[in-house]
């Protein structure tokens, strides 16, 4: 059974940093696509970063230059390093995994993903 478990969320002041981790079990291969998503109260879930099996990343414009996604396949763990955090980054953050790519491209559409973690809260105060 596939499971994804996020950790590393918390409360920080604007300008601070956090590193999220997502450990996955139940799947012995490299996921074609993995991603980080976030959902703020009253808003739709949005894609923050995607990572393909080769480690290629794709970011939302709102986090480019501040967030860095990475994957350690030996540890079955996905990471999101978040720097220069802003109050508007406040949200529940989720990791997700997909069996699919579109000719190697990983979409930031949540509907593309098959498995989800339970989420970890990130709160950034001004």
């Amino acid at each position: 059974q596939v499971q994804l478990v996020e950790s590393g969320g918390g409360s920080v002041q604007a300008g601070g940093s956090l590193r999220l981790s997502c450990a996955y079990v139940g799947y012995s291969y490299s996921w074609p696509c993995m991603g980080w998503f976030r959902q703020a109260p009253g808003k739709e879930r949005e894609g923050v970063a995607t990572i393909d099996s080769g480690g290629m990343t794709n970011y939302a414009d709102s986090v480019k230059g501040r967030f860095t996604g990475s994957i350690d396949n030996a540890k079955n763990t996905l990471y999101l390093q978040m720097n220069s955090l802003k109050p508007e980054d406040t949200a529940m953050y989720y990791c997700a995994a997909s069996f699919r790519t579109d000719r190697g491209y990983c979409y930031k559409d949540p509907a593309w993903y098959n498995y989800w973690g339970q989420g970890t809260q990130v709160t950034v105060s001004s």
Side-chain angles (χ1 to χ4, degrees), residues 3-6 21-25 75-78 95:
Q3 287 186 316
L4 291 77
V5 180
E6 303 96 336
S21 299
C22 171
Y24 53 93
V25 297
K75 294 183 178 179
N76 288 358
T77 302
L78 180 72
C95 66

Side-chain angles (χ1 to χ4, degrees), residues 1-23:
Q1 182 178 359
V2 174
Q3 287 186 316
L4 291 77
V5 180
E6 303 96 336
S7 61
S11 297
V12 296
Q13 289 190 327
S17 298
L18 285 172
R19 187 192 195 203
L20 305 184
S21 299
C22 171

Side-chain angles (χ1 to χ4, degrees), residues 36-57:
W36 286 101
F37 298 79
R38 66 186 181 187
Q39 188 167 18
K43 295 189 177 181
E44 292 187 355
R45 189 169 297 189
E46 63 170 346
V48 173
T50 62
I51 302 173
D52 69 18
S53 59
M56 291 292 291
T57 52

Side-chain angles (χ1 to χ4, degrees), residues 1 5 7-8 13 15 19 29-30 36-37 41-42 54 65 68 75 86 89 92-93 95 99 106 112 115 118:
Q1 182 178 359
V5 180
S7 61
Q13 289 190 327
R19 187 192 195 203
Y29 308 97
S30 297
W36 286 101
F37 298 79
T68 303
K75 294 183 178 179
K86 303 176 181 180
D89 294 319
M92 185 71 79
Y93 282 72
C95 66
F99 290 121
C106 298
W112 191 255
Y115 296 98
Q118 82 290 348

